[in-house]
């Protein structure tokens, strides 16, 4: 938060108790309105991050949602999914009810992702679709939040062309949703509140979690890696770790509520703790404490190979509730390309890291992310990606065609690779990914796997589905009472992306429900 914003905050807080509804507050927003700036967002200062744990809804806003419904559409990564849970929590505290359809909503939020151009195009398309609702229901509020809001080009485009939008706010100020909504109800202008500089770490935010079986827990915010293709360090700000005690308390709380699986979230979780000024504490230390909590499964995402240290490997090797599925984005198999991407490791160092992980955890499953068609990627460099894929034997990968993001160093590079070539490389890579996925699935045939059952299969309500420890999707026949439990399933058939099976034995506690 910058000085201006702090001032803005205190101004509103100090002024609002005496104000009555109907007073135009837009002057506050406009007088301090600073357009978002990727250049500002790039700066990394030394100032300390404040930990704020007294989030509460200002009493003047507490009836804002009475008789009103909200709808949030989420794009992008788990971080965004989790931010949506926080915003849903704030809506609930404001008295809004949730609705599952846009037609029924009084407030629609698009929680956006800026990672690739096609992610952004989807949002602009959706804004186009929503326009007619605004004509039918003039009181409807439409908001854009999330990573796209942090980009000045996006904000300018919305201000110019998408007048159906009532509010734009960014990733650093979702806790200010009550003030922003309030302002949007009063103002005839589009309300824009985007902070280019990261905010503080706010604890005790309300959350309405999407499920009661698996839960997300943020361990850190932001990213300082600045891979040359990536927009995230600009949209999410500098790395800020939550205090270990706050994380541990949240995981304990979820365990007590009956959650079975926790995924720790951060853009670069291996840098966890580096910014905590007073303690020498990293992800390995945190995992070592979390493994003692009585919760069956703990995962984390996303790992950066550069910061993956021996301490973490040593702790993960203790097993228990720490799962040995590691998602370790490599991006490319060519050391030359990795260098231009500023990933800060070589192919050899990545292979060495995998060797160490496998030495400590012989059954570890590795999955990855890969970008093809980085500027000037040669056929040989692309083939190095294919050969690394085979060498490691990844079980699955998310694959992408490089998408230039305005403001990043890679977007300024000239690029001699035609789009048809990029598409063709993606197809070749995807064929390899499918081949290895199918092979890894085949090995499970006839085996017993442990499935955390999430619910009925989307396609067939007679079939249950869930995930194994290695994150393989399993569809199987079994009693509904298995939902929310971890059950043994015998794999009867392997597909490329999922397994079919049947309940291996009926655990005693399920029998009653059969
Ligand atoms: N923090 C995570 C990744 C977040 S983005 C990490 O470093 O692993 C998820 C994935 O999107 C990245 O791993 C990368 O493969 C892909 N990605 C990021 N920027 C991209 C871009 N400009 N074009 C194409 N893919 C991109
Ligand atoms: Fe982006 Fe790299 Fe940070 Fe991941 S580590 S979010 S790819 S800059
Ligand atoms: Fe997208 Fe932002 Fe996540 S750009 S991938 S929603 S951090």
């Amino acid at each position: 938060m910058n000085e201006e914003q702090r001032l803005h905050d205190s101004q509103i807080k100090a002024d609002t108790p005496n104000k009555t509804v109907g007073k135009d507050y837009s002057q506050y927003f406009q007088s301090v309105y600073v357009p978002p700036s990727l250049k500002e967002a790039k700066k990394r200062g030394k100032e300390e991050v404040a930990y704020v744990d007294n989030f509460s809804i200002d009493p003047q806003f507490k009836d804002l949602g009475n008789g009103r419904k909200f709808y949030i559409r989420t794009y992008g990564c788990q971080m965004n999914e989790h931010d949506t849970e926080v915003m849903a929590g704030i809506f609930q505290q404001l008295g809004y009810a949730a609705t599952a359809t846009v037609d029924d909503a009084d407030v629609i939020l698009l929680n956006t992702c800026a990672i690739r151009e096609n992610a952004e195009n989807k949002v602009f398309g959706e804004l186009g679709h929503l326009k007619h609702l605004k004509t039918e229901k003039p009181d409807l509020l439409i908001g854009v939040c999330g990573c796209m809001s942090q980009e000045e080009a996006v904000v300018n485009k919305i201000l110019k062309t998408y007048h159906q939008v009532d509010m734009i706010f960014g990733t650093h100020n979702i806790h200010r949703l009550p003030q922003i909504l309030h302002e949007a109800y009063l103002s005839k202008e589009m309300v824009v509140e985007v902070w280019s500089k990261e905010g503080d770490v706010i604890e005790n935010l309300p959350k309405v979690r999407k499920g009661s079986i698996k839960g997300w827990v943020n361990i850190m915010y932001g990213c300082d890696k600045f891979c040359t293709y990536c927009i995230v360090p600009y949209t999410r700000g500098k790395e800020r770790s939550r205090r270990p005690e706050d994380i541990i308390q949240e995981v304990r709380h979820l365990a007590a509520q009956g959650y079975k699986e926790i995924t720790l979230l951060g853009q670069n979780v291996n840098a966890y703790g580096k910014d905590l000024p007073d303690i020498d504490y990293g992800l390995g230390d945190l995992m070592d404490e979390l493994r003692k909590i009585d919760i069956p499964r703990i995962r984390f995402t996303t790992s950066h190979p550069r910061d993956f240290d021996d301490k973490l490997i040593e702790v993960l090797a203790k097993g228990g509730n720490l799962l040995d599925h590691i998602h370790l984005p490599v991006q490319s198999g060519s050391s030359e390309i990795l260098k231009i991407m500023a990933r800060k490791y070589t192919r050899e160092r990545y292979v060495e890291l995998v060797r160490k992980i496998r030495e400590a955890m012989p059954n570890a499953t590795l999955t990855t992310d890969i970008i093809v068609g980085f500027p000037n990627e040669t056929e040989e460099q692309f083939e190095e990606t294919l050969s690394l894929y085979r060498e490691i034997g990844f079980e699955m990968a998310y694959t992408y065609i490089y998408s230039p993001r305005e403001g990043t160093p890679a977007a300024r590079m000239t690029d001699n690779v035609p789009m048809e070539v990029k598409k063709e490389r993606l197809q070749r890579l995807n064929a390899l990914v499918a081949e290895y996925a199918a092979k890894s699935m085949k090995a499970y045939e006839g085996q017993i796997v442990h499935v955390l059952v999430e619910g009925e299969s989307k396609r067939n309500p007679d079939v249950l589905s869930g995930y194994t420890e290695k994150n393989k999707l399993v569809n199987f026949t079994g009693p509904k009472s298995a939902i929310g439990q971890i059950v043994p399933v015998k794999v009867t058939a392997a597909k490329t992306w999922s397994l079919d099976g049947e309940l291996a034995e009926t655990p005693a506690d399920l029998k009653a429900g059969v």
Side-chain angles (χ1 to χ4, degrees):
M1 191 190 293
N2 62 30
E3 252 333 287
E4 218 160 12
Q5 281 147 359
R6 270 183 217 284
L7 194 71
H8 179 197
D9 247 5
S10 57
Q11 214 172 19
I12 294 227
K13 275 197 197 109
D15 284 356
T16 40
N18 305 320
K19 306 280 180 191
T20 49
V21 175
K23 169 94 174 99
D24 181 7
Y25 289 98
S26 53
Q27 52 183 317
Y28 291 123
F29 282 80
Q30 278 160 13
S31 63
V32 294
Y33 170 59
V34 190
S37 153
L38 293 179
K39 219 167 141 197
E40 281 302 307
K42 191 177 177 181
K43 291 184 183 157
R44 290 294 182 267
K46 284 259 174 280
E47 64 283 329
E48 269 185 29
V49 172
Y51 290 77
V52 182
D53 64 359
N54 59 354
F55 176 86
S56 65
I57 302 280
D58 189 323
Q60 66 159 333
F61 302 135
K62 75 174 183 6
D63 296 325
L64 209 58
N66 280 358
R68 289 173 166 151
K69 293 183 186 156
F70 75 94
Y71 173 94
I72 310 177
R73 181 159 295 170
T74 315
Y75 302 79
C77 64
Q78 293 99 326
M79 200 76 64
N80 254 17
E81 295 276 354
H82 191 47
D83 283 351
T84 289
E85 294 182 334
V86 172
M87 291 191 285
I90 297 176
F91 271 121
Q92 196 188 48
Q93 289 200 350
L94 291 169
Y96 288 85
T99 173
T101 58
V102 282
D103 299 322
D104 200 26
D106 300 290
V107 184
I108 300 172
L109 287 186
L110 303 186
N111 190 7
T112 63
C113 171
I115 203 82
R116 284 168 290 275
E117 193 185 356
N118 57 6
E120 298 207 345
N121 289 343
K122 274 191 223 158
V123 171
F124 287 120
E126 185 59 26
L127 283 176
H129 293 144
L130 293 176
K131 195 171 177 182
H132 77 280
L133 287 177
K134 192 78 188 175
T135 333
E136 287 161 19
K137 210 176 184 181
D139 291 340
L140 171 71
L141 287 186
I142 298 180
V144 175
C145 57
C147 287
M148 277 172 72
S149 307
Q150 297 290 140
E151 299 176 287
E152 59 247 49
V154 168
V155 172
N156 289 337
K157 186 168 168 180
I158 294 176
L159 282 167
K160 200 165 147 217
T161 325
Y162 293 86
H163 298 146
Q164 62 271 45
V165 173
D166 301 282
M167 47 194 175
I168 308 178
F169 58 100
T171 58
H172 301 309
N173 53 340
I174 60 177
H175 60 284
R176 285 191 33 89
L177 183 58
Q179 286 85 346
I180 293 163
L181 284 167
H182 176 71
E183 176 64 22
Y185 283 122
L186 299 179
S187 171
K188 293 203 166 43
E189 305 286 315
M190 206 184 287
V191 173
V192 183
E193 197 194 85
V194 181
W195 301 347
S196 294
K197 207 177 149 350
E198 62 283 341
D200 299 322
V201 172
I202 317 276
E203 293 295 343
N204 293 336
L205 287 168
K207 288 160 201 136
V208 173
R209 294 185 187 269
K210 220 165 127 194
S212 53
I213 303 169
K214 301 208 286 195
W216 286 304
V217 174
N218 272 124
I219 64 167
M220 61 186 297
Y221 305 96
C223 180
D224 289 347
K225 279 281 177 277
F226 287 102
C227 304
T228 53
Y229 51 81
C230 185
I231 194 76
V232 172
Y234 307 80
T235 63
R236 293 274 167 177
K238 81 167 179 179
E239 288 174 357
R240 288 149 290 148
S241 299
R242 287 178 71 198
R243 306 287 314 177
E245 55 276 19
D246 292 326
I247 298 167
I248 293 165
Q249 190 190 36
E250 187 173 346
V251 175
R252 281 213 184 104
H253 182 66
L254 290 170
Q257 286 180 289
Y259 280 80
K260 297 285 189 302
E261 184 176 305
I262 297 299
T263 302
L264 306 175
L265 291 182
Q267 287 301 341
N268 172 17
V269 287
N270 302 84
Y272 174 75
K274 288 194 173 160
D275 58 308
L276 293 172
D278 54 333
I279 46 173
D280 181 16
Y281 195 91
L283 183 62
D285 302 288
L286 181 67
M287 299 297 275
D288 209 14
E289 296 204 47
L290 294 177
R291 78 189 174 82
K292 296 169 198 153
I293 296 177
D294 186 15
I295 191 153
R297 294 179 170 190
I298 300 180
R299 303 180 190 278
F300 56 94
T301 194
T302 302
S303 276
H304 191 294
R306 163 88 186 191
D307 296 323
F308 208 109
D309 58 21
D310 293 348
K311 166 85 191 188
L312 178 63
I313 298 178
E314 182 195 315
V315 172
L316 291 178
K318 296 181 186 177
N321 58 4
L322 308 183
L323 303 183
D324 60 357
H325 164 218
I326 296 168
H327 187 66
L328 194 60
V330 68
Q331 314 298 358
S332 167
S334 151
S335 293
E336 289 152 349
I337 293 287
L338 288 170
K339 186 152 193 226
I340 311 170
M341 286 177 164
R343 289 291 286 181
K344 301 186 179 78
Y345 55 83
T346 58
R347 175 190 176 115
E348 293 70 32
R349 261 198 62 181
Y350 186 91
V351 170
E352 171 57 15
L353 175 61
V354 170
R355 191 198 59 74
K356 275 204 261 179
I357 292 172
R358 286 197 165 138
E359 190 176 74
M361 289 172 269
N363 294 321
T365 293
L366 284 155
T367 54
T368 198
D369 290 353
I370 293 172
I371 297 176
V372 302
F374 192 74
N376 311 312
E377 181 191 57
T378 64
E379 172 62 22
E380 292 72 34
Q381 289 166 334
F382 170 65
E383 283 173 14
E384 285 185 70
T385 297
L386 298 179
S387 77
L388 181 76
Y389 203 90
R390 292 195 187 92
E391 185 176 342
I392 303 286
F394 290 110
E395 294 199 5
M396 201 275 298
Y398 296 108
T399 57
Y400 310 100
I401 290 182
Y402 164 72
S403 171
R405 309 315 298 131
E406 198 180 316
T408 62
R412 292 190 289 275
M413 296 173 192
T414 51
D415 184 1
N416 64 13
V417 190
M419 189 42 96
E420 309 84 76
V421 173
K422 297 184 191 225
K423 285 188 179 156
E424 183 257 350
R425 286 183 189 162
L426 184 70
Q427 277 177 7
R428 279 157 70 197
L429 175 61
N430 284 347
L432 188 69
V433 171
E435 181 193 322
Y436 274 72
K439 204 161 79 182
S440 78
M441 291 298 196
K442 197 86 190 150
Y444 285 106
E445 273 180 352
Q447 307 272 325
I448 306 267
V449 290
H450 292 95
V451 179
L452 173 53
V453 190
E454 290 184 26
E456 294 163 3
S457 141
K458 279 190 198 115
R459 292 211 204 108
N460 180 353
D462 295 330
V463 172
L464 298 178
S465 73
Y467 288 85
T468 69
E469 287 164 6
K470 309 261 190 194
N471 222 22
K472 308 284 186 208
L473 174 63
V474 183
N475 294 308
F476 69 102
T477 44
K480 303 259 181 289
S481 53
I483 295 173
Q485 314 265 4
I486 296 175
V487 297
V489 172
K490 175 145 190 212
V491 177
T492 50
K495 299 183 169 160
T496 305
W497 308 112
S498 65
L499 301 169
D500 287 343
E502 57 198 24
L503 199 64
E505 61 196 71
T506 312
D509 55 341
L510 294 186
K511 281 197 177 122
V514 178

